Amino acid sequence: MSATDRIVRTVDFVLSPEVRAASDGQLRLTGYAAVFGTVSEDLGFREVLEPGCFRSALTKPGVDCVLNWMHDDGQPLARQSAGNLTLREDSKGLMIDATLPDTQLARDAVELVRSGVVNKMSFAFSMRGGRDREEVRGGEVYRYIEQVGDLHDVSLVTHPA
């Protein structure tokens, strides 16, 4: 896989229970698109995100991440440049805070999250300019992501990619 390939990873059950309609009547989603230290499913190797791995990608000039529905660029829910998506890295992982526009897609997304039907988030990234290391443990290859190159989107999803 080349460093410029778009890679998608899904995280289970990390949406915050604080999925709510904000007091100003807008719809809001908060949660984690990625969690540090968790081991991925078998991808031919196991992948682990290390604390700090998003720091560089989040501060690159011109970064404009989008919150999508099911990684579909035709179904955006929020965007950094629109001022309604905030991404930050904390000690747990990559946290999102999004205030959604009053659209049918946004209302449906919030209700599906609130009801538990949609309970996963995913993120798409590339390793161009990133850093990783590998080690073999118990016959399995583990890839540790030390620095993500580019962050393309974060998404609400039903099934892992």
mmCIF file of all heavy atoms in Angstrom, residues 7 9-10 13 19 22 25 32 35 42 62 69 93 98 115 119 124 130 135 141-142 146 152-154:
data_model
loop_
_atom_site.group_PDB
_atom_site.id
_atom_site.type_symbol
_atom_site.label_atom_id
_atom_site.label_comp_id
_atom_site.label_asym_id
_atom_site.label_seq_id
_atom_site.Cartn_x
_atom_site.Cartn_y
_atom_site.Cartn_z
ATOM 1 N N ILE A 7 -7.028 5.308 3.433
ATOM 2 C CA ILE A 7 -7.247 4.181 4.327
ATOM 3 C C ILE A 7 -8.440 4.519 5.215
ATOM 4 O O ILE A 7 -8.555 5.634 5.706
ATOM 5 C CB ILE A 7 -5.999 3.934 5.205
ATOM 6 C CG1 ILE A 7 -4.755 3.742 4.325
ATOM 7 C CG2 ILE A 7 -6.220 2.754 6.140
ATOM 8 C CD1 ILE A 7 -3.456 3.894 5.082
ATOM 9 N N ARG A 9 -10.630 3.363 8.650
ATOM 10 C CA ARG A 9 -10.674 2.555 9.870
ATOM 11 C C ARG A 9 -11.943 2.885 10.637
ATOM 12 O O ARG A 9 -12.339 4.045 10.725
ATOM 13 C CB ARG A 9 -9.480 2.826 10.777
ATOM 14 C CG ARG A 9 -8.166 2.419 10.179
ATOM 15 C CD ARG A 9 -8.059 0.887 10.048
ATOM 16 N NE ARG A 9 -6.792 0.522 9.497
ATOM 17 C CZ ARG A 9 -6.576 0.252 8.222
ATOM 18 N NH1 ARG A 9 -7.556 0.280 7.356
ATOM 19 N NH2 ARG A 9 -5.372 -0.053 7.802
ATOM 20 N N THR A 10 -12.549 1.870 11.226
ATOM 21 C CA THR A 10 -13.795 2.026 11.962
ATOM 22 C C THR A 10 -13.583 1.689 13.429
ATOM 23 O O THR A 10 -12.857 0.773 13.764
ATOM 24 C CB THR A 10 -14.883 1.107 11.368
ATOM 25 O OG1 THR A 10 -15.054 1.460 9.992
ATOM 26 C CG2 THR A 10 -16.192 1.255 12.093
ATOM 27 N N PHE A 13 -18.557 1.589 19.035
ATOM 28 C CA PHE A 13 -19.142 2.032 20.286
ATOM 29 C C PHE A 13 -18.397 3.168 20.979
ATOM 30 O O PHE A 13 -18.183 3.136 22.170
ATOM 31 C CB PHE A 13 -19.278 0.851 21.249
ATOM 32 C CG PHE A 13 -19.997 -0.300 20.623
ATOM 33 C CD1 PHE A 13 -19.321 -1.449 20.293
ATOM 34 C CD2 PHE A 13 -21.337 -0.210 20.326
ATOM 35 C CE1 PHE A 13 -19.974 -2.519 19.694
ATOM 36 C CE2 PHE A 13 -22.013 -1.271 19.729
ATOM 37 C CZ PHE A 13 -21.329 -2.423 19.422
ATOM 38 N N VAL A 19 -25.306 12.651 22.618
ATOM 39 C CA VAL A 19 -25.934 12.987 21.353
ATOM 40 C C VAL A 19 -27.257 13.622 21.703
ATOM 41 O O VAL A 19 -28.110 13.015 22.332
ATOM 42 C CB VAL A 19 -26.131 11.728 20.485
ATOM 43 C CG1 VAL A 19 -26.867 12.064 19.211
ATOM 44 C CG2 VAL A 19 -24.791 11.101 20.189
ATOM 45 N N ALA A 22 -29.158 20.584 20.840
ATOM 46 C CA ALA A 22 -28.607 21.666 21.656
ATOM 47 C C ALA A 22 -29.718 22.618 22.083
ATOM 48 O O ALA A 22 -30.800 22.646 21.500
ATOM 49 C CB ALA A 22 -27.539 22.416 20.875
ATOM 50 N N GLY A 25 -31.702 24.784 19.692
ATOM 51 C CA GLY A 25 -32.537 24.116 18.710
ATOM 52 C C GLY A 25 -31.761 23.395 17.622
ATOM 53 O O GLY A 25 -32.355 22.712 16.797
ATOM 54 N N TYR A 32 -16.110 10.028 19.610
ATOM 55 C CA TYR A 32 -14.737 9.726 19.199
ATOM 56 C C TYR A 32 -14.733 9.003 17.866
ATOM 57 O O TYR A 32 -15.375 7.965 17.714
ATOM 58 C CB TYR A 32 -14.029 8.875 20.252
ATOM 59 C CG TYR A 32 -13.645 9.682 21.456
ATOM 60 C CD1 TYR A 32 -14.545 9.839 22.512
ATOM 61 C CD2 TYR A 32 -12.419 10.325 21.525
ATOM 62 C CE1 TYR A 32 -14.200 10.613 23.607
ATOM 63 C CE2 TYR A 32 -12.081 11.091 22.623
ATOM 64 C CZ TYR A 32 -12.967 11.242 23.658
ATOM 65 O OH TYR A 32 -12.640 12.019 24.733
ATOM 66 N N VAL A 35 -9.877 5.899 18.766
ATOM 67 C CA VAL A 35 -9.470 5.721 20.160
ATOM 68 C C VAL A 35 -8.060 5.150 20.184
ATOM 69 O O VAL A 35 -7.755 4.192 19.466
ATOM 70 C CB VAL A 35 -10.450 4.783 20.901
ATOM 71 C CG1 VAL A 35 -9.985 4.540 22.330
ATOM 72 C CG2 VAL A 35 -11.857 5.368 20.897
ATOM 73 N N ASP A 42 -8.311 -7.987 12.322
ATOM 74 C CA ASP A 42 -7.239 -8.521 11.482
ATOM 75 C C ASP A 42 -7.379 -7.969 10.070
ATOM 76 O O ASP A 42 -8.335 -8.253 9.360
ATOM 77 C CB ASP A 42 -7.299 -10.050 11.472
ATOM 78 C CG ASP A 42 -6.105 -10.681 10.780
ATOM 79 O OD1 ASP A 42 -5.290 -9.950 10.180
ATOM 80 O OD2 ASP A 42 -5.982 -11.914 10.843
ATOM 81 N N GLY A 62 -4.598 24.469 5.679
ATOM 82 C CA GLY A 62 -5.603 24.082 4.695
ATOM 83 C C GLY A 62 -6.408 22.847 5.026
ATOM 84 O O GLY A 62 -7.246 22.432 4.230
ATOM 85 N N TRP A 69 -21.825 11.045 6.263
ATOM 86 C CA TRP A 69 -22.676 9.901 6.536
ATOM 87 C C TRP A 69 -22.132 8.749 5.693
ATOM 88 O O TRP A 69 -22.058 8.850 4.469
ATOM 89 C CB TRP A 69 -24.115 10.234 6.157
ATOM 90 C CG TRP A 69 -25.073 9.110 6.357
ATOM 91 C CD1 TRP A 69 -25.632 8.324 5.397
ATOM 92 C CD2 TRP A 69 -25.571 8.640 7.606
ATOM 93 N NE1 TRP A 69 -26.453 7.389 5.976
ATOM 94 C CE2 TRP A 69 -26.443 7.569 7.330
ATOM 95 C CE3 TRP A 69 -25.371 9.016 8.924
ATOM 96 C CZ2 TRP A 69 -27.101 6.861 8.330
ATOM 97 C CZ3 TRP A 69 -26.038 8.316 9.923
ATOM 98 C CH2 TRP A 69 -26.894 7.251 9.614
ATOM 99 N N GLY A 93 -8.442 9.946 22.409
ATOM 100 C CA GLY A 93 -8.420 9.752 20.972
ATOM 101 C C GLY A 93 -8.784 11.007 20.209
ATOM 102 O O GLY A 93 -8.556 12.118 20.668
ATOM 103 N N ALA A 98 -19.852 18.308 16.605
ATOM 104 C CA ALA A 98 -20.472 18.845 15.394
ATOM 105 C C ALA A 98 -21.860 19.386 15.691
ATOM 106 O O ALA A 98 -22.659 18.728 16.355
ATOM 107 C CB ALA A 98 -20.563 17.758 14.329
ATOM 108 N N SER A 115 -30.945 6.342 18.942
ATOM 109 C CA SER A 115 -31.636 5.063 19.136
ATOM 110 C C SER A 115 -30.678 3.875 19.203
ATOM 111 O O SER A 115 -31.102 2.775 19.516
ATOM 112 C CB SER A 115 -32.636 4.848 18.003
ATOM 113 O OG SER A 115 -31.949 4.612 16.787
ATOM 114 N N ASN A 119 -23.982 3.114 15.695
ATOM 115 C CA ASN A 119 -23.201 3.243 16.934
ATOM 116 C C ASN A 119 -21.702 3.150 16.688
ATOM 117 O O ASN A 119 -20.946 2.790 17.572
ATOM 118 C CB ASN A 119 -23.635 2.181 17.944
ATOM 119 C CG ASN A 119 -23.479 0.773 17.421
ATOM 120 O OD1 ASN A 119 -22.958 0.553 16.341
ATOM 121 N ND2 ASN A 119 -23.934 -0.186 18.194
ATOM 122 N N ALA A 124 -11.141 8.343 7.655
ATOM 123 C CA ALA A 124 -10.369 8.041 6.450
ATOM 124 C C ALA A 124 -9.102 8.881 6.496
ATOM 125 O O ALA A 124 -9.155 10.076 6.779
ATOM 126 C CB ALA A 124 -11.185 8.359 5.204
ATOM 127 N N GLY A 130 3.305 10.760 7.027
ATOM 128 C CA GLY A 130 3.080 10.159 8.339
ATOM 129 C C GLY A 130 4.246 9.281 8.760
ATOM 130 O O GLY A 130 5.268 9.185 8.076
ATOM 131 N N GLU A 135 6.014 -4.281 14.382
ATOM 132 C CA GLU A 135 6.679 -5.314 15.179
ATOM 133 C C GLU A 135 5.864 -6.588 15.060
ATOM 134 O O GLU A 135 4.667 -6.548 14.755
ATOM 135 C CB GLU A 135 6.853 -4.878 16.634
ATOM 136 C CG GLU A 135 5.585 -4.779 17.443
ATOM 137 C CD GLU A 135 5.850 -4.362 18.890
ATOM 138 O OE1 GLU A 135 6.571 -3.384 19.119
ATOM 139 O OE2 GLU A 135 5.311 -5.044 19.777
ATOM 140 N N VAL A 141 1.742 -9.426 12.793
ATOM 141 C CA VAL A 141 2.359 -8.121 12.563
ATOM 142 C C VAL A 141 1.462 -7.044 13.160
ATOM 143 O O VAL A 141 0.252 -7.021 12.915
ATOM 144 C CB VAL A 141 2.563 -7.862 11.051
ATOM 145 C CG1 VAL A 141 3.103 -6.456 10.806
ATOM 146 C CG2 VAL A 141 3.486 -8.908 10.451
ATOM 147 N N TYR A 142 2.061 -6.182 13.951
ATOM 148 C CA TYR A 142 1.371 -5.029 14.533
ATOM 149 C C TYR A 142 1.955 -3.766 13.914
ATOM 150 O O TYR A 142 3.169 -3.587 13.890
ATOM 151 C CB TYR A 142 1.539 -4.990 16.050
ATOM 152 C CG TYR A 142 0.652 -5.967 16.773
ATOM 153 C CD1 TYR A 142 0.939 -7.330 16.756
ATOM 154 C CD2 TYR A 142 -0.476 -5.535 17.442
ATOM 155 C CE1 TYR A 142 0.115 -8.235 17.407
ATOM 156 C CE2 TYR A 142 -1.305 -6.432 18.093
ATOM 157 C CZ TYR A 142 -1.002 -7.783 18.068
ATOM 158 O OH TYR A 142 -1.817 -8.677 18.703
ATOM 159 N N GLU A 146 2.241 6.234 14.447
ATOM 160 C CA GLU A 146 2.809 7.282 15.293
ATOM 161 C C GLU A 146 2.359 8.662 14.844
ATOM 162 O O GLU A 146 2.216 9.573 15.658
ATOM 163 C CB GLU A 146 4.334 7.198 15.262
ATOM 164 C CG GLU A 146 4.868 5.889 15.819
ATOM 165 C CD GLU A 146 6.356 5.705 15.611
ATOM 166 O OE1 GLU A 146 6.957 6.415 14.769
ATOM 167 O OE2 GLU A 146 6.930 4.833 16.295
ATOM 168 N N HIS A 152 -8.801 12.689 6.031
ATOM 169 C CA HIS A 152 -9.726 13.052 4.957
ATOM 170 C C HIS A 152 -11.138 13.300 5.451
ATOM 171 O O HIS A 152 -11.762 14.283 5.062
ATOM 172 C CB HIS A 152 -9.735 11.962 3.882
ATOM 173 C CG HIS A 152 -8.401 11.741 3.277
ATOM 174 N ND1 HIS A 152 -7.817 12.648 2.426
ATOM 175 C CD2 HIS A 152 -7.503 10.733 3.421
ATOM 176 C CE1 HIS A 152 -6.623 12.204 2.064
ATOM 177 N NE2 HIS A 152 -6.411 11.043 2.650
ATOM 178 N N ASP A 153 -11.670 12.385 6.248
ATOM 179 C CA ASP A 153 -13.007 12.602 6.806
ATOM 180 C C ASP A 153 -13.193 11.761 8.053
ATOM 181 O O ASP A 153 -12.400 10.867 8.350
ATOM 182 C CB ASP A 153 -14.115 12.327 5.767
ATOM 183 C CG ASP A 153 -14.420 10.849 5.513
ATOM 184 O OD1 ASP A 153 -14.486 10.057 6.470
ATOM 185 O OD2 ASP A 153 -14.634 10.482 4.350
ATOM 186 N N VAL A 154 -14.228 12.099 8.790
ATOM 187 C CA VAL A 154 -14.733 11.277 9.878
ATOM 188 C C VAL A 154 -16.186 10.990 9.507
ATOM 189 O O VAL A 154 -16.833 11.815 8.862
ATOM 190 C CB VAL A 154 -14.627 11.981 11.263
ATOM 191 C CG1 VAL A 154 -13.174 12.132 11.668
ATOM 192 C CG2 VAL A 154 -15.319 13.318 11.274
#
